[in-house]
Amino acid sequence: MFRKFVKYLVMALFVLSLFPTIAFAYLDPGTGSYVLQVVLGAFLGGLFAIKMYWRNIRTFVANIFSKNASGE
């Protein structure tokens, strides 16, 4: 019971922290460039990870579909 209460309390505090009423913040002109770099870096990093593990991904997907075809 107590664990459930703590779980809901933490989730509620997290959700409430996403919507502050007042924010004393300043976004300088370089912020947009930084966000673009982070998004582009994450995208290219994901592409690189796919490239590195492409054979494993292809084998995994082939095994899934071959099991479904043989099981029917």
Side-chain angles (χ1 to χ4, degrees):
M1 177 79 176
F2 181 72
R3 288 181 130 177
K4 199 173 196 180
F5 173 74
V6 171
K7 180 180 171 183
Y8 287 129
L9 179 65
V10 169
M11 287 180 6
L13 290 174
F14 176 72
V15 170
L16 287 174
S17 70
L18 294 176
F19 304 106
T21 55
I22 298 173
F24 298 104
Y26 170 73
L27 299 176
D28 60 44
T31 304
S33 173
Y34 181 72
V35 170
L36 180 64
Q37 288 178 25
V38 169
V39 169
L40 189 59
F43 177 72
L44 291 175
L47 287 178
F48 182 74
I50 290 171
K51 176 186 177 237
M52 293 300 295
Y53 294 104
W54 179 248
R55 183 173 292 147
N56 295 341
I57 293 168
R58 188 174 58 188
T59 304
F60 177 74
V61 172
N63 287 340
I64 289 174
F65 286 117
S66 67
K67 287 180 184 176
N68 287 341
S70 66
E72 292 178 1

